[in-house]
Amino acid sequence: MTSSPAARTKVVIAALTIAAFAIGLDTFVIIGALDVISRDLAISTGAAGWIISIYALCYAVFAPLNAWMFKSISRRNIQILSVSIFVIGNLICAIAPNFLTLAAGRVISAYGAAMFTPAATALAAELLPRARKGFALSLIFGGMTVSQVAGVPATSWIADAIGWRFSFGFVVIAGLLALIIFAPMMSGIPAKAPERGNGPSSKALSKTIYGILSVTLFIVVSEFIVYSYVSVFISGSLLAAVPLLSAALFAYGFGAVTGNAACGVLTDRFGPYKVLIAAVGAQLILLIGLVAFGQHGAFTVLIAFLWGNVSYMYLVPIQHRLLGLAGDRSKLVLAMNSSTTFAGIAIGAFLGGILVEISGVTLLAAASILIGVIGIGLAVAFMRDAAPAEAAPAASSCRHRVNG
């Protein structure tokens, strides 16, 4: 391992991104296989959707719990342990004979993912300069979005062609490969975070932080009311018998990669508030379009691509803003935001399941836009003005970012 600090930082960031790819694949593997699982296990579509809710709800509980339980453990060991746990969870899912065993496997994999993501996000932000904080965050989420280009369409195709259990087997293989590459590279991570004396420190979290967490909740619920059930309302073939669902998921994932890459730069340039409002507004329009045109071939794929470009753009601005407010409690606040994100996924999947059972997919778009508008209103209230402690007088190039 090279002794150059800059080279070591690049290696560590690369390692975190590789692991984030596997975690991202684990998080969304169920989406493309949902309809197949419901048929194979002889359960309703709504009940199958509850598997998403179980995973997300457990993640929501485990994220802050893990941040507290493992606060004294080496950061190297946290990263390796978390990836190992989620691999075990997915192996259980791959061999699950029934709904209960599958749900148990998702609980275990959620535990590992909830341990990894907040710690990796905080570490990436620590390793790169303040002016590149948005870029640092986009790298971690970039690993997750790349998993949707290469992995989610693949798991959807695998589930349809040879069975949903092989989809989880694919996740296990990806996790093991990530662990093999990941573990040796972790030697470049310091055991403890560097001490910093220029960040805000407080005994109680501010009302603004809780307000921003509410923004996360409503935006995620709005998205996952629709996204959890894409396998239900996107159907048919594109060209040469290519399943439209797989093509749409690929387009979505590719769009997520390009959108995520742009989001870090845009957040550093224009500030988190402007990027967030624009992204969420566009996302609502595209979600409605996807429900309305889920069986229109190439047009469906185009909407999915555009939706992918904005679907992850709320993550970086919100975490960017929270890092500016959290100071020396950044890991706890990021864990709380991860918890809120997955609580939103659980609520969205659950509500979407109820709506699908009641009226098919007709109410999904209406519910999405109603909840999304509330999220935009909360963003206007809590995301606009940066706290004074966020400002960095010596970094004039960041003025747009901190005032965003």
Side-chain angles (χ1 to χ4, degrees), residues 68-299:
W68 174 75
M69 287 179 61
F70 298 103
K71 60 184 178 181
S72 60
I73 295 182
S74 162
R75 298 191 298 175
R76 293 188 293 263
N77 294 337
I78 284 290
Q79 310 299 326
I80 295 172
L81 178 64
S82 61
V83 177
S84 300
I85 290 174
F86 104 86
V87 166
I88 293 171
N90 278 283
L91 181 59
I92 292 173
C93 291
I95 62 175
N98 52 47
F99 177 87
L100 290 179
T101 307
L102 177 61
R106 295 307 283 161
V107 170
I108 295 172
S109 60
Y111 189 87
M115 188 187 303
F116 172 83
T117 306
T121 304
L123 179 59
E126 289 171 4
L127 292 176
L128 291 181
R130 180 182 180 87
R132 303 188 71 196
K133 188 187 297 182
F135 176 72
L137 295 175
S138 70
L139 286 175
I140 298 302
F141 294 120
M144 295 182 178
T145 55
V146 168
S147 74
Q148 294 199 321
V149 175
V152 174
T155 56
S156 174
W157 179 83
I158 290 170
D160 186 62
I162 58 176
W164 60 269
R165 300 179 192 281
F166 291 92
S167 294
F168 285 103
F170 182 79
V171 178
V172 170
I173 293 172
L176 290 174
L177 288 175
L179 195 60
I180 291 171
I181 300 171
F182 181 76
M185 300 171 87
M186 287 300 98
S187 61
I189 296 181
K192 295 183 179 180
E195 297 293 332
R196 297 188 178 183
N198 58 352
S201 177
S202 61
K203 294 182 179 180
L205 300 177
S206 70
K207 293 180 180 179
T208 301
I209 287 178
Y210 289 109
I212 295 172
L213 293 177
S214 71
V215 174
T216 296
L217 179 66
F218 278 89
I219 291 175
V220 175
V221 171
S222 173
E223 179 180 9
F224 275 83
I225 278 181
V226 175
Y227 185 41
S228 300
Y229 298 92
V230 291
S231 65
V232 178
F233 61 81
I234 295 181
S235 61
S237 297
L238 184 60
L239 292 171
V242 174
L244 182 58
L245 175 60
S246 296
L249 288 174
F250 178 83
Y252 168 85
F254 186 75
V257 172
T258 58
N260 181 77
C263 187
V265 177
L266 291 173
T267 300
D268 285 334
R269 175 65 180 85
F270 296 106
Y273 173 72
K274 292 179 180 178
V275 174
L276 179 68
I277 295 297
V280 175
Q283 177 178 288
L284 289 179
I285 295 171
L286 291 164
L287 283 173
I288 295 169
L290 198 64
V291 173
F293 301 102
Q295 299 177 0
H296 285 67
F299 188 54

Side-chain angles (χ1 to χ4, degrees), residues 307-323:
W307 171 37
N309 271 276
V310 298
S311 65
Y312 274 75
M313 280 194 173
Y314 64 84
L315 292 170
V316 170
I318 287 176
Q319 301 226 44
H320 190 287
R321 181 82 163 95
L322 287 172
L323 282 170

